[in-house]
Amino acid sequence: MKPFEVIQGSGAIILGQPHGGTWLPDTLLARLNENGRKLADTDWHIGRLYDGLLPNITIVRSNVHRYAIDANRDPAGTSLYSGQNTTELCPTTDFDGLPIWQSGQEPSADEIESRRQQWHETYHAALASEVERVKTTHGFAVLDDCHSIRSEIPFLFEGLLPVFSIGTNGGQTCAPAIETATHRLCKASNDSVALNGRFKGGWTTRHYGRPGEGVHAIQMELAQRAYLAHEAAPWAYDTERAGRLRISLSAILHDIRQLALDGTLKPTHS
């Protein structure tokens, strides 16, 4: 199994999909406890959800499950949400705060560093390469970091998550026009929306988003009730629900493409 896949397109938009993979080497699977082997914290069917929404798009997706290493965490291990519950670069618990490894099988510091080099670093090397390729071609690039999550996880947040959670780190990671268009089209769906709420953009969005230099990044976190039959195993894809959601996601991507064609996203300085 390749640790990541790259599908190159000729357009200006890149989809990052760091959490849709379910592959773990047998040596790690054997160390997970019963709870960990459920792989519950997966962005289930995220590739299928975005498939075919826009022509000429580039996709960089990780096949490695986040329990091995989280490709959307700071590689230094620093929390992006200080004072709030979260999971680590190499998680030791699931989103409910429950252990995922058998007792004594948690990753050591040396193992964390090895996983970082083997999977985190290689995924981001591929993503950075595509960002640079697209920027060289168009003068700018747009990275849409695609995520999904269960709608209710009390350990991480109170209450029911909005269907759409948009993160731009307070408007710092992309041109205002991208944030405005995305927010407007999410609200037009009549589903619940949050802009820079619980999810302000993970490490990927904050690391790559440099709009003044022509690299725009935005995170979309989707509540899984919007496209799954049930937010539990077997995590079945609901074609009807997903179809409604795909209309909104397609509209967002097409609007961003139009902003690119209009010249709105060109860098303000070199």
Side-chain angles (χ1 to χ4, degrees), residues 94-108:
D94 64 10
F95 286 169
D96 296 313
L98 301 174
I100 58 174
W101 302 100
Q102 297 175 39
S103 179
Q105 294 296 317
E106 299 85 356
S108 67

Side-chain angles (χ1 to χ4, degrees), residues 6-9 11 13-15 56-60 130 133-134:
V6 176
I7 301 169
Q8 289 188 338
I13 301 176
I14 302 164
L15 300 183
N56 302 318
I57 206 161
T58 293
I59 302 170
V60 181
E130 290 307 303
R133 178 184 66 84
V134 169

Side-chain angles (χ1 to χ4, degrees), residues 15 17 19-21 43-53 59 61 146 227 237 246:
L15 300 183
Q17 297 174 351
H19 292 154
D43 291 9
W44 297 103
H45 307 291
I46 199 74
R48 180 178 180 183
L49 186 64
Y50 279 87
D51 184 49
L53 293 182
I59 302 170
R61 62 167 64 107
C146 311
Y227 72 96
Y237 188 85
R246 280 169 54 84

Side-chain angles (χ1 to χ4, degrees), residues 13 23 41 69 94 106 190 199 241:
I13 301 176
W23 178 82
D41 302 326
I69 194 156
D94 64 10
E106 299 85 356
N190 294 320
F199 299 99
R241 292 182 186 180

Side-chain angles (χ1 to χ4, degrees), residues 17-23 35-50 65-67 95 146-151 221-238 242 245:
Q17 297 174 351
H19 292 154
T22 57
W23 178 82
N35 180 52
R37 286 193 292 271
K38 295 176 183 177
L39 305 182
D41 302 326
T42 303
D43 291 9
W44 297 103
H45 307 291
I46 199 74
R48 180 178 180 183
L49 186 64
Y50 279 87
H65 194 266
R66 69 190 304 160
Y67 287 171
F95 286 169
C146 311
H147 298 263
S148 73
I149 194 169
R150 283 179 286 145
S151 299
E221 189 85 48
L222 301 168
Q224 291 177 347
R225 69 180 182 279
Y227 72 96
L228 297 183
H230 302 285
E231 294 179 286
W235 313 100
Y237 188 85
D238 186 310
L245 184 58

Side-chain angles (χ1 to χ4, degrees), residues 23 52 70 84-85 151 161 202 205 213 242 258 267:
W23 178 82
D70 192 328
Q84 299 184 54
N85 288 337
S151 299
L161 271 177
T205 301
E213 300 173 24
Q258 190 58 50

